[in-house]
Amino acid sequence: MTALRSPITPDIVSEHGLSEEEYQKILTIMGREPNLVELGIFSVMWSEHCSYKSTRKHIKKLYTEGEQVICGPGENAGVVDIGDGQAVIFKMESHNHPSFIEPYQGAATGVGGILRDVFTMGARPVALMNALRFGDIHHEKTPHLISGVVAGIGGYGNCIGIPTVGGETNFHPSYNGNNLVNAMAVGIADTDNIFYSAASGVGRSILYAGSKTGRDGIHGATMASEEFSEDSESKRPTVQVGDPFMEKRVMEACLELMQQDAIEAIQDMGAAGLTCSTLEMADKGGTGVELNLDFVPQREVNMSAYDIMLSESQERMLMVIKEGKEDVAKAIFDKWEVDNAVIGKITDTGRMVLKHQGEIVADMPVSPLSEEAPIYDRPWKPTPHAEPVAVETETDAQTLLDQLKQLIASPHLCSRAWIWQQYDHQVMNDTIQKPGGDAAIVRVHGTHKGIAITTDCTPRYCVADPVEGGKQAVAEAYRNLIATGAKPLAVTNCLNFGNPEKPEIMGQIVGCLQGMAEACETLKFPVVSGNASLYNETNGQGILPTPAIGGVGLIQNIKHALTMSFKAEGETIIRIGEMEGHLGRSLWLSEIAGREEGEAPTVNLEAEQRHGEFILHCIQHGWISACHDISDGGQLVALAEMAIASKGSIGAILDVACDIGRAFGEDQARYIITVPHEYADRVLTKAPESGISATVIGETGSDALVIGDASVPVAELSMLHQQTLPMIMDSTVQALATA
């Protein structure tokens, strides 16, 4: 206990990631000098990762309302009504820093953590998604990071038996020193059996259940709130180790206990472990807590109170048990062979009191740890307006098709099958649409309903114009859900940025949040949960601003679900929306012209909403056989993807201009649909009545994409599309094996 009585020096304060001003505030709150345990608790609760001290002011501007919203931001996950007494519960979170240091365990525990956020609220998880960003694919570290992250995601999800149904993976040199691993989980619950974290009920028992506590992950939240440097490998001990088989038992035990009317409040132990879970429960309930740390199940000897409170060991839950139900809880956890123990009680003191080895090792007020956490209005600079790009766009059909082949084989657009084939996307037998489409679709078990899920963001737009980039991230998620026949319900987000203490980075954060707020409100697509991950920098080099969006939509009857693949020859191909040929910040500009410059495309939110509602109307009337939104790579790439998705058997004869901008421009609010001839006139008549531009651009047929006298076989496009990632990854594995 001598460490508790050691003086707190400026160096110790700094090592805990606290500024001198923050420490002075702690002295005021405590009315005395804190001991080391108390300082550690303040440090993790006031870390950027837990307190959102740089973003909280701006996150409050997000649109979070809607008649479908049962629970918005502030709980473990968001809750949205899907009718029939059912709700979808979902969230996305980051595990970026741990996954760069230790890719396998970092990614695996990211999956485990997001699953706990969902089943903590009473939902059975039904799907996993991810949004991954890596550096230049030819960078020496990238293949190693990809292999580890993908194996970690697959290893955890496959073992626990929840399908990983989709996601996105992208590459850019800005992520060379900071890959991004954002994990999303979706679950289904009954609306009358949803659980929250507010701990009321003075005198009620606090129950610990799950893996024993070790020293892994100590200072994980603090590590995730600072930049990397060349000595980041030394942070490996702060990365947690996951056990998916234990998580499976913990999940099943919790879901069984939730049917017994025994739980008053429940919280998983994620960032900051026992500290954050305990304090959040007490703060939300307006109560206090008293814990005896001697009763905490421990897997290592001689653990200090500091170790126990700050450990981020995985697969652990904390719950307040209703009076007289302790034996019920114990029996269930014992049956599932899950360690469990009553470690304390709820009090009316408004304080956290910790006892260890017969001494009080911490005595501190609950509310100030949350309510008085620093909130910074950091200086910010708007991103300078980008100049338009000048490009000679007139060309010939053969050049367009040659450039299409280059794009479809590029790391940005090539098939991600090498990745998702390592995930079990069919387990539970409710996956309707596998990875590779606009959005994944999972059946709501035992019903005709389907949940469509997507993750989206275009960082190259966000760096050029954060406001438009923020809008576009939301709008693309909206379009991807629409393209499957789903009504968009709500979004979660993962705000990945660099150092907020730099005004230009803070400007990106403010701008992206403004754009997201505008898009969510106009599209009635509220934010119900999310996460912020800042300080994604190494040696001062930050990532591109990456506000990843996870979107969820509802398909009332899965027989109306739609895919992007061409279905039959002789169908009319129609583009919804005008094409102006925007090439600024496009993939064509970077991959073909070698230029990363220009303006982001403008997002017309009213057009997005109007076009989306029209597409849904057509799908529900059975007029459309395939639908795909136009995004990365523009119109010609979208057509190629639809042909490739037909298993290479159906091409298209196209009537399009030989113009680079119209072929590869990334204008927003655009879709390509295929329509059987008997419905073509209906669509083309209905569109202008709805204020929609609908243009016939060809007909399905042939086994090639044909423009005038030029053509490229769909089989060749498919081969180019599929071979890039396996060739790069396999060659790297072989090189490592022979090194």
Side-chain angles (χ1 to χ4, degrees):
M1 295 296 176
T2 55
L4 296 180
R5 301 183 181 94
S6 300
I8 301 299
T9 66
D11 285 346
I12 291 175
V13 172
S14 178
E15 287 168 6
H16 282 76
L18 294 163
S19 69
E20 177 58 32
E21 292 77 13
E22 289 169 344
Y23 183 63
Q24 290 302 317
K25 190 172 185 178
I26 291 170
L27 293 177
T28 300
I29 290 170
M30 294 292 289
R32 59 175 171 81
E33 183 179 84
N35 63 38
L36 190 62
V37 174
E38 293 164 338
L39 185 74
I41 288 171
F42 270 105
S43 77
V44 292
M45 290 301 294
W46 286 11
S47 68
E48 189 73 62
H49 192 74
C50 292
S51 73
Y52 297 85
K53 56 190 175 186
S54 295
T55 56
R56 194 184 304 187
K57 175 186 175 187
H58 303 285
I59 286 174
K60 289 180 179 179
K61 301 173 185 175
L62 291 173
Y63 176 76
T64 61
E65 301 175 353
E67 61 182 18
Q68 72 273 36
V69 177
I70 295 174
C71 177
E75 272 291 340
N76 288 288
V79 186
V80 177
D81 197 330
I82 58 171
D84 307 309
Q86 293 179 307
V88 59
I89 298 180
F90 63 101
K91 190 181 183 183
M92 179 190 286
E93 275 201 343
S94 63
H95 233 223
N96 302 334
H97 287 61
S99 299
F100 185 76
I101 295 170
E102 177 51 62
Y104 184 95
Q105 292 296 348
T109 53
V111 172
I114 199 64
L115 285 171
R116 290 194 299 279
D117 280 336
V118 166
F119 74 71
T120 294
M121 298 198 68
R124 176 167 290 281
V126 297
L128 288 162
M129 297 279 283
N130 52 72
L132 312 177
R133 297 290 190 287
F134 297 101
D136 183 337
I137 200 166
H138 300 294
H139 187 274
E140 60 181 359
K141 281 192 174 182
T142 299
H144 161 70
L145 292 170
I146 295 172
S147 296
V149 166
V150 171
I153 291 170
Y156 207 100
N158 296 354
C159 287
I160 202 169
I162 297 168
T164 300
V165 294
E168 58 173 347
T169 303
N170 289 297
F171 306 94
H172 189 274
S174 74
Y175 305 103
N176 283 346
N178 278 88
N179 56 225
L180 302 184
V181 177
N182 296 171
M184 179 178 174
V186 179
I188 302 295
D190 293 333
T191 55
D192 61 357
N193 202 37
I194 294 169
F195 291 81
Y196 300 95
S197 58
S200 56
V202 173
R204 301 275 169 85
S205 297
I206 298 173
L207 181 74
Y208 172 119
S211 293
K212 289 181 170 68
T213 294
R215 291 187 173 90
D216 50 324
I218 293 174
H219 284 305
T222 306
M223 182 267 290
S225 305
E226 59 187 24
E227 293 184 26
F228 278 159
S229 62
E230 292 176 357
D231 67 348
S232 292
E233 289 295 316
S234 66
K235 298 180 187 293
R236 192 177 299 273
T238 66
V239 178
Q240 311 94 322
V241 177
D243 180 352
F245 300 107
M246 172 57 76
E247 178 117 339
K248 172 67 172 175
R249 301 206 303 273
V250 171
M251 178 179 74
E252 295 298 342
C254 286
L255 291 174
E256 182 176 337
L257 184 60
M258 287 168 174
Q259 302 303 313
Q260 303 300 316
D261 190 31
I263 297 175
E264 181 81 32
I266 184 168
Q267 176 82 31
D268 79 298
M269 293 189 226
L274 187 56
T275 288
C276 193
S277 56
T278 305
L279 286 166
E280 284 189 0
M281 292 174 75
D283 183 53
K284 289 176 182 176
T287 55
V289 291
E290 182 179 302
L291 303 180
N292 189 329
L293 302 185
D294 296 339
F295 298 151
V296 172
Q298 298 163 48
R299 69 166 184 264
E300 298 186 42
V301 297
N302 299 321
M303 290 190 71
S304 68
Y306 185 97
D307 294 338
I308 294 168
M309 291 304 296
L310 271 63
S311 167
E312 292 186 8
S313 295
Q314 297 294 286
E315 294 89 35
R316 301 182 301 161
M317 305 292 293
L318 197 69
M319 57 204 78
V320 178
I321 301 300
K322 290 186 176 180
E323 187 175 359
K325 296 283 188 174
E326 292 86 354
D327 289 344
V328 173
K330 179 174 173 50
I332 289 174
F333 284 115
D334 285 349
K335 182 185 79 171
W336 286 98
E337 298 181 358
V338 173
D339 282 308
N340 62 97
V342 172
I343 64 170
K345 63 182 180 181
I346 299 298
T347 69
D348 61 1
T349 64
R351 301 185 70 81
M352 170 187 268
V353 178
L354 306 178
K355 297 178 180 179
H356 187 230
Q357 297 179 359
E359 288 191 51
I360 293 177
V361 295
D363 185 351
M364 50 207 308
V366 168
S367 182
L369 280 155
S370 297
E371 302 304 318
E372 295 186 35
I375 299 177
Y376 293 123
D377 186 3
R378 296 198 185 276
W380 60 276
K381 292 180 181 178
T383 298
H385 181 74
E387 295 298 321
V389 296
V391 177
E392 178 56 53
T393 63
E394 187 175 341
T395 188
D396 58 82
Q398 190 59 56
T399 298
L400 287 182
L401 294 176
D402 288 344
Q403 292 179 349
L404 172 64
K405 290 193 289 185
Q406 286 181 256
L407 284 170
I408 211 73
S410 72
H412 302 286
L413 292 171
C414 70
S415 170
R416 274 36 177 172
W418 183 91
I419 293 173
W420 58 256
Q421 284 171 354
Q422 298 182 53
Y423 307 149
D424 189 339
H425 52 270
Q426 298 286 10
V427 66
M428 298 178 73
N429 205 33
D430 279 319
T431 304
I432 303 299
Q433 184 168 165
K434 66 182 184 180
D438 283 305
I441 304 173
V442 176
R443 180 193 292 108
V444 179
H445 194 75
T447 76
H448 295 295
K449 294 183 294 190
I451 301 297
I453 317 162
T454 186
T455 58
D456 293 286
C457 184
T458 311
R460 53 198 157 88
Y461 297 164
C462 295
V463 75
D465 186 331
V467 176
E468 291 300 319
K471 290 180 188 176
Q472 194 274 340
V474 174
E476 187 170 351
Y478 182 87
R479 288 199 303 273
N480 282 337
L481 297 173
I482 292 284
T484 66
K487 178 183 178 181
L489 290 177
V491 304
T492 183
N493 61 54
C494 205
L495 307 174
N496 307 277
F497 293 90
N499 185 344
E501 296 168 47
K502 297 178 179 178
E504 63 273 19
I505 301 298
M506 197 64 215
Q508 294 173 350
I509 296 170
V510 173
C512 285
L513 284 168
Q514 177 187 331
M516 290 165 58
E518 292 177 18
C520 288
E521 184 166 9
T522 299
L523 299 175
K524 299 296 181 281
F525 199 25
V527 177
V528 295
S529 60
N531 167 245
S533 173
L534 308 185
Y535 295 96
N536 290 289
E537 296 200 6
T538 297
N539 295 326
Q541 178 62 48
I543 62 167
L544 293 183
T546 312
I549 297 293
V552 168
L554 176 66
I555 302 174
Q556 286 290 352
N557 193 319
I558 54 176
K559 72 178 183 180
H560 293 140
L562 213 58
T563 65
M564 70 166 72
S565 63
F566 290 153
K567 303 299 188 300
E569 296 194 357
E571 295 193 334
T572 303
I573 303 173
I574 298 173
R575 184 188 67 237
I576 300 299
E578 294 284 357
M579 286 298 295
E580 298 176 0
H582 184 93
L583 288 171
R585 294 288 170 167
S586 67
L587 285 182
W588 180 90
L589 194 67
S590 62
E591 290 299 297
I592 305 301
R595 298 159 57 187
E596 290 192 30
E597 58 185 87
E599 301 172 296
T602 300
V603 180
N604 183 327
L605 295 170
E606 287 71 24
E608 293 281 5
Q609 184 178 41
R610 190 168 61 250
H611 294 181
E613 290 174 351
F614 176 74
I615 292 289
L616 281 183
H617 177 85
C618 293
I619 291 173
Q620 289 160 3
H621 282 76
W623 299 343
I624 298 177
S625 58
C627 182
H628 187 25
D629 82 308
I630 299 175
S631 56
D632 294 347
Q635 175 177 267
L636 200 53
V637 165
L639 288 160
E641 290 171 339
M642 297 175 81
I644 292 168
S646 74
K647 306 301 182 186
S649 60
I650 303 175
I653 298 91
L654 301 173
D655 181 14
V656 295
C658 290
D659 180 273
I660 289 169
R662 290 184 174 275
F664 302 117
E666 297 181 6
D667 306 87
Q668 301 297 294
R670 311 293 187 266
Y671 300 82
I672 292 175
I673 59 175
T674 57
V675 182
H677 275 314
E678 63 266 30
Y679 299 126
D681 285 344
R682 296 188 193 182
V683 173
L684 293 169
T685 300
K686 180 70 175 176
E689 293 175 358
S690 304
I692 305 292
S693 170
T695 306
V696 176
I697 59 171
E699 182 176 279
T700 58
S702 175
D703 59 357
L705 288 188
V706 181
I707 303 175
D709 295 331
S711 66
V712 57
V714 176
E716 181 181 357
L717 288 172
S718 183
M719 179 192 68
L720 291 168
H721 187 239
Q722 293 170 9
Q723 69 183 8
T724 301
L725 207 51
M727 286 177 60
I728 292 171
M729 296 304 298
D730 292 347
S731 64
T732 301
V733 170
Q734 292 172 7
L736 290 173
T738 58

